[in-house]
């Protein structure tokens, strides 16, 4: 399409006399103007989304990343995983199913968990991004040029967001894999369970996840915080759902305790937890 339009423009602009004066019939002038418009639209549609995301995220306040376990500050994802066990010490329950765990080993009996398909991955705890890494990066130029690995290597905003402790929770590995980068949703009061007694369900056909009721407020506050903190786009429908959950399920003791530990390690927690009154500002 772009080549065709450019060809038309060249033909039109080639209608010049020996002195360079353009002698264009009205129809050719009109065609040339339309061609210029189409080229501009192609340029915008091809790069506009990632460019807008980069411009929004370029305004993000970045902090120098730290690596030491005793240091205070933001970390990349690898360094974040080293301190996350301290964040959840004495709170060893996975996010989506409420399963107890020790180290990286999940206790299925504690939550009535039954593997859906992948028992090996279901045995271990993994660190889940509540706002998926795909959402953090897919609109950025780094993702277009080389995906998550390229972003983690070359994009400072993505690196900080990927390792932000506010966005990381323990999850049964199988559920983490099934959730992937699917959005949260709510569609059934008592959905058919797919992991034994686990209250979180995945609708693979509809590409959505309904988290168990106990963590919906937590998930909503994390999601709203991350989108605000890192200049991420959110659909109107998703924002309405997150705001509704954040209002319906107030801050609890788990969030308060976790947030205090994140502040001590990262220097910055989730303001929607420490200052819940700010929810009204965000969800007008």
């Amino acid at each position: 399409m772009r080549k065709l339009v450019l060809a038309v423009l060249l033909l039109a602009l080639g209608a010049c006399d020996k002195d360079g004066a353009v002698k264009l019939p009205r129809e050719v002038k009109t065609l040339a103007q339309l061609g210029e418009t189409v080229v501009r639209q192609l340029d915008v549609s091809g790069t506009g989304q990632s460019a807008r995301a980069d411009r929004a995220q370029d305004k993000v306040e970045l902090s120098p990343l730290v690596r030491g376990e005793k240091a205070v500050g933001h970390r990349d994802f690898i360094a974040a995983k080293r301190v996350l066990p301290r964040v959840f010490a004495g709170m060893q329950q996975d996010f989506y199913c409420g399963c107890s765990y020790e180290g990286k080993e999940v206790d299925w009996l504690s939550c009535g968990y039954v593997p859906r398909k992948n028992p090996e991955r279901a045995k271990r705890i993994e660190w889940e991004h509540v706002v998926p890494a795909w959402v953090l990066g897919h609109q950025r130029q780094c993702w277009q040029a080389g995906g998550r690995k390229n972003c983690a290597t070359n994009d400072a905003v993505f690196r900080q967001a990927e390792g932000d402790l506010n966005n990381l929770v323990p999850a049964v590995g199988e559920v983490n894999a099934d959730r992937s980068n699917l959005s949260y949703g709510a569609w059934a009061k008592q959905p058919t369970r797919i992991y034994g007694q686990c209250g979180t369900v995945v609708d693979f056909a509809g590409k959505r996840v309904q988290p168990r009721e106990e963590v919906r407020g937590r998930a909503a506050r994390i999601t709203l915080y991350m989108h605000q903190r890192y200049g991420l786009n959110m659909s109107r429908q998703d924002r309405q759902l997150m705001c509704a959950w954040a209002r319906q399920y107030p801050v609890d003791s788990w969030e308060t305790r976790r947030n205090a530990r994140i502040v001590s390690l990262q220097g910055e927690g989730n303001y929607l937890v420490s200052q819940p009154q700010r929810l009204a500002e965000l969800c007008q």
Side-chain angles (χ1 to χ4, degrees):
M1 178 66 178
R2 181 189 296 274
K3 290 181 179 179
L4 177 61
V5 172
L6 289 176
V8 171
L9 285 174
L10 288 173
L11 287 172
L13 295 176
C16 302
D17 63 15
K18 62 182 180 180
D19 297 323
V22 180
K23 297 180 178 179
L24 299 177
R26 180 180 302 172
E27 294 82 358
V28 175
K29 289 182 179 180
T30 301
L31 184 59
Q33 290 170 351
L34 288 173
E36 290 175 354
T37 301
V38 171
V39 168
R40 286 195 297 270
Q41 290 175 343
L42 286 171
D43 288 337
V44 170
S45 64
T47 61
Q49 187 179 46
S50 58
R52 284 195 300 271
D54 277 353
R55 284 197 297 272
Q57 294 187 356
D58 283 343
K59 299 177 182 178
V60 171
E61 181 181 347
L62 293 174
S63 304
L65 300 185
V66 301
R67 300 194 64 83
E69 294 187 21
K70 294 184 179 180
V72 177
H74 279 272
R75 295 165 167 80
D76 63 19
F77 185 42
I78 293 174
K81 288 189 285 187
R82 298 193 189 106
V83 299
L84 281 166
R86 291 167 56 190
V87 174
F88 293 95
M91 303 164 62
Q92 289 104 320
Q93 273 197 346
D94 105 282
F95 193 71
Y96 290 125
C97 302
C99 301
S100 298
Y101 66 90
E102 187 68 34
K104 292 185 178 181
E105 186 174 347
V106 179
D107 180 1
W108 294 348
L109 294 177
S110 67
C111 58
Y113 190 90
V114 177
R116 181 187 69 85
K117 186 177 180 180
N118 192 340
E120 284 303 312
R121 195 159 178 182
K123 290 179 181 177
R124 67 173 184 260
I125 281 292
E126 297 176 355
W127 297 112
E128 154 82 331
H129 289 85
V130 173
V131 176
W134 182 87
V135 174
L136 299 177
H138 84 282
Q139 293 178 5
R140 295 191 61 75
Q141 292 289 353
C142 62
W143 198 278
Q144 311 304 324
R148 181 173 177 176
K149 184 177 181 180
N150 185 53
C151 284
T153 303
N154 298 308
D155 191 295
V157 173
F158 178 85
R159 202 157 44 240
Q160 178 171 312
E162 186 189 30
D164 194 318
L165 298 178
N166 290 293
N167 192 40
L168 293 163
V169 294
V172 174
E174 181 180 41
V175 184
N176 183 29
D178 286 349
R179 191 272 166 115
S180 184
N181 60 10
L182 302 181
S183 298
Y184 291 136
W187 61 89
K189 185 68 176 178
Q190 295 181 323
T192 301
R193 301 193 175 197
I194 63 175
Y195 307 107
Q197 296 302 309
C198 177
T200 293
V201 295
V202 180
D203 175 10
F204 296 99
K207 297 183 178 180
R208 54 186 181 170
V209 176
Q210 181 170 292
R212 63 191 179 110
E213 193 168 0
E214 294 87 343
V215 300
R216 290 177 191 172
R218 304 171 187 177
R221 279 179 283 278
I222 292 171
T223 300
L224 290 167
Y225 167 81
M226 289 296 292
H227 279 77
Q228 181 75 8
R229 178 68 174 82
Y230 294 102
L232 304 172
N233 295 325
M234 184 187 298
S235 71
R236 181 179 180 183
Q237 181 179 358
D238 285 346
R239 179 173 292 277
Q240 287 176 339
L241 179 61
M242 293 302 101
C243 287
W245 280 356
R247 294 188 185 102
Q248 184 177 356
Y249 305 99
V251 173
D252 57 26
S253 59
W254 181 93
E255 285 179 276
T256 302
R257 190 177 181 187
R258 172 179 176 266
N259 197 61
R261 291 178 178 181
I262 289 174
V263 172
S264 70
L265 288 165
Q266 186 169 275
E268 176 187 15
N270 184 339
Y271 66 85
L272 292 175
V273 175
S274 59
Q275 305 172 59
Q277 67 277 9
R278 292 186 62 181
L279 180 66
E281 302 171 11
L282 199 57
C283 294
Q284 293 179 351

